[in-house]
Amino acid sequence: MKTLLLVLLLTGVCSGNELLGYLEDWVNVKWWDNNIPGNCLMGCFEPQPYITSLKPYSSVNYGFTFLTENPTPSQVSCSNAPNGTSGGASGPCPVWDGKAIYLAAASKNGAAAITPSTSAATPGIVSIAESSRMAKMHPDGPKRFKISLGGWSDFARVGSVQNARSIAKLMGKLVLWTFADGVDLDFEHLTPFATINGDDEFAAYNALVAALREELDSNVKPQWSSFAATRKQQLQAEYNALQPWQQADMKPYYQTNMNFMDEVGKNGPDHLEVSWTTRFNAFLPAGNPWNYLLPGSPRPNQTFATDNEGAKIWPQSGASFDTANIMAYDAGTPAGALQLNFTTIMNNFVTYGKVPKEKINIGFEPGEQAAGGVWEGMAADKEIATYAKQNGFLGAFVWSVNPSPTTNPNGTKLAPELAANLNNIIKPTWRWGPAPVYTKCDPTTGNWPGL
């Protein structure tokens, strides 16, 4: 058994099942705290609700970091694409500026999470690192934690292979600074980007995946434990430079993190994951583009431009991806909300995409959905999760861990309930080998016990 576990770790092959949750980094956060470096300019999760919300999950994705200087959730198309439209719903889709990975609009103080010259923890690094730390120090045991790049609001293009390599370098650097367990690529606009003159966006995206895999394996993992020691020294120097009254107020943060760095170094790096988040229509059979609809579902007059998008990604990049997350929600159309056959969608990925079952998570969004989508209900999701568990799929994910009570009041109640039900069905475990051992944080403060 020990030999088998070692082989799995060395080859990056996972075992077990996963329940993944997406974090909304703008919900249940504080926007100022004098006792945390960077003052939470990019938001810091309130510890108690954050820790409580993670309970059913084995893994979480921190959403979102961006390539764009101006995240725009209301934008739906590219005005500079051949099929672009005019009006408020359309906007420019520029090439990444090459300057930074952002957590907010570039005009905001502290928005650049990481740059090529970053040599000290930015407010964004502190926010992500604290989220990562509390996930690993969770009272119920460690949770895997990845950083999501992209999301609907990110309308900046990679644009070139050279940019792809630079982005991979920056994301690897951000993983190291935050001791995250990898990167989730949630690029939702590749198809319209690829229509812009002079842009081979799929080639750039595939280059990003390959470069990121190489960066995590060859550069980040070898530095992991030594950088933890370096961070502890940096934290100690920062603390020593504080005034006595500041030291008293900030001791819980600094002592917690210095203690944590000792354990990070001792545990060493886990497998550093690269995941692909995509839509339900990424793989389809020839001549049957609606095979994933249930009988009685509305059927639009036109197929989706993104149909079979996965065929431009998985053949080139599948070996570099550890996980494929299927967004099976937000399926509104002018003809009405689509009624999805989830088992067909999962099997489309296996049959037509040649995606291994053990890499596939099926995604749910309970409560309110964007684009006129309608949730299929608790009973349906439990049935689908049971199918996934019984048929060798990796597991499931939920958007989101912490829905906004303002925009998703029903989701705020339903998401924790669904996650608890999925946990009982999937029975998630640590994916790669034995789980690391971390001291369990105080469930109220998120700090080291006793601080």
Side-chain angles (χ1 to χ4, degrees):
M1 178 60 73
K2 290 182 179 179
T3 301
L4 175 59
L5 288 174
L6 179 60
V7 170
L8 291 174
L9 285 168
L10 290 175
T11 58
V13 177
C14 75
S15 59
N17 295 99
E18 178 172 73
L19 178 57
L20 169 69
Y22 269 85
L23 292 162
E24 299 187 29
D25 66 356
W26 57 95
V27 179
N28 293 335
V29 299
K30 49 187 174 182
W31 297 103
W32 188 264
D33 190 326
N34 283 325
N35 297 324
I36 293 179
N39 303 117
C40 294
L41 287 177
M42 288 293 102
C44 300
F45 283 115
E46 296 281 2
Q48 185 170 16
Y50 176 70
I51 291 166
T52 300
S53 70
L54 298 193
K55 183 178 178 62
Y57 297 97
S58 60
S59 182
V60 290
N61 285 350
Y62 181 98
F64 287 99
T65 57
F66 305 109
L67 299 181
T68 182
E69 291 185 357
N70 186 32
T72 314
S74 61
Q75 186 172 336
V76 299
S77 65
C78 300
S79 57
N80 51 328
N83 59 350
T85 59
S86 60
S90 184
C93 295
V95 172
W96 175 57
D97 63 13
K99 298 177 181 178
I101 303 295
Y102 299 99
L103 273 173
S107 59
K108 294 187 176 181
N109 187 23
I114 198 93
T115 73
S117 61
T118 295
S119 59
T122 64
I125 285 174
V126 172
S127 294
I128 298 172
E130 278 293 271
S131 307
S132 177
R133 179 189 62 76
M134 286 189 284
K136 289 181 171 61
M137 294 180 65
H138 195 275
D140 290 342
K143 316 286 186 179
R144 285 181 59 81
F145 180 97
K146 300 194 303 297
I147 304 168
S148 287
L149 175 64
W152 179 265
S153 299
D154 196 343
F155 279 86
R157 296 175 280 141
V158 177
S160 69
V161 169
Q162 183 55 52
N163 278 350
R165 292 170 180 155
S166 298
I167 293 165
K169 283 283 184 187
L170 284 183
M171 288 306 297
K173 189 176 180 180
L174 187 57
V175 165
L176 188 59
W177 272 91
T178 59
F179 298 100
D181 296 302
V183 177
D184 171 60
L185 298 176
D186 186 3
F187 283 43
E188 302 192 24
H189 310 294
L190 293 172
T191 292
F193 290 172
T195 67
I196 295 173
N197 186 42
D199 192 322
D200 190 350
E201 195 67 11
F202 285 101
Y205 179 83
N206 286 315
L208 169 59
V209 177
L212 184 56
R213 177 77 278 153
E214 175 68 18
E215 184 68 19
L216 295 178
D217 291 347
S218 298
N219 291 330
V220 176
K221 289 188 77 170
Q223 297 183 66
W224 190 270
S225 293
S226 62
F227 192 70
T230 298
R231 279 295 292 140
K232 181 180 180 180
Q233 293 173 355
Q234 291 173 342
L235 289 162
Q236 185 68 67
E238 289 175 20
Y239 183 72
N240 292 344
L242 298 173
Q243 295 297 317
W245 64 269
Q246 292 175 307
Q247 288 183 343
D249 290 341
M250 300 183 77
K251 180 179 179 180
Y253 170 85
Y254 278 101
Q255 192 62 61
T256 291
N257 277 276
M258 286 188 284
N259 292 349
F260 177 65
M261 290 306 153
D262 287 337
E263 296 189 340
V264 169
K266 182 178 179 180
N267 279 298
D270 199 61
H271 176 68
L272 299 181
E273 183 182 349
V274 181
S275 61
W276 173 45
T277 297
T278 188
R279 294 184 178 88
F280 54 82
N281 60 326
F283 298 106
L284 300 171
N288 191 7
W290 304 112
N291 84 317
Y292 55 81
L293 295 181
L294 290 170
S297 172
R299 182 173 295 201
N301 293 327
Q302 291 184 324
T303 56
F304 294 116
T306 54
D307 281 354
N308 278 311
E309 190 175 86
K312 300 174 184 177
I313 296 170
W314 194 262
Q316 296 91 333
S317 297
S320 295
F321 282 123
D322 300 290
T323 313
N325 299 317
I326 306 173
M327 296 185 292
Y329 47 81
D330 295 346
T333 73
L338 303 183
Q339 298 170 29
L340 304 178
N341 186 324
F342 284 70
T343 58
T344 297
I345 290 168
M346 288 189 283
N347 285 305
N348 281 349
F349 274 65
V350 176
T351 302
Y352 305 110
K354 308 302 179 186
V355 182
K357 286 182 178 181
E358 62 271 17
K359 290 188 176 185
I360 295 175
N361 279 328
I362 186 67
F364 307 112
E365 183 179 11
E368 299 86 353
Q369 295 191 4
V374 174
W375 181 43
E376 59 282 352
M378 188 70 69
D381 287 358
K382 290 167 67 176
E383 182 179 345
I384 295 155
T386 300
Y387 176 87
K389 173 72 172 180
Q390 293 177 347
N391 287 273
F393 290 88
L394 173 60
F397 77 88
V398 177
W399 176 270
S400 67
V401 172
N402 55 331
S404 167
T406 302
T407 58
N408 298 78
N410 291 326
T412 301
K413 173 181 178 294
L414 291 168
E417 184 181 343
L418 174 60
N421 284 325
L422 295 180
N423 178 283
N424 288 333
I425 294 167
I426 294 171
K427 302 187 184 309
T429 57
W430 192 266
R431 282 184 70 184
W432 281 276
V437 178
Y438 286 99
T439 297
K440 296 178 180 181
C441 69
D442 184 294
T444 301
T445 67
N447 292 327
W448 198 269
L451 289 176

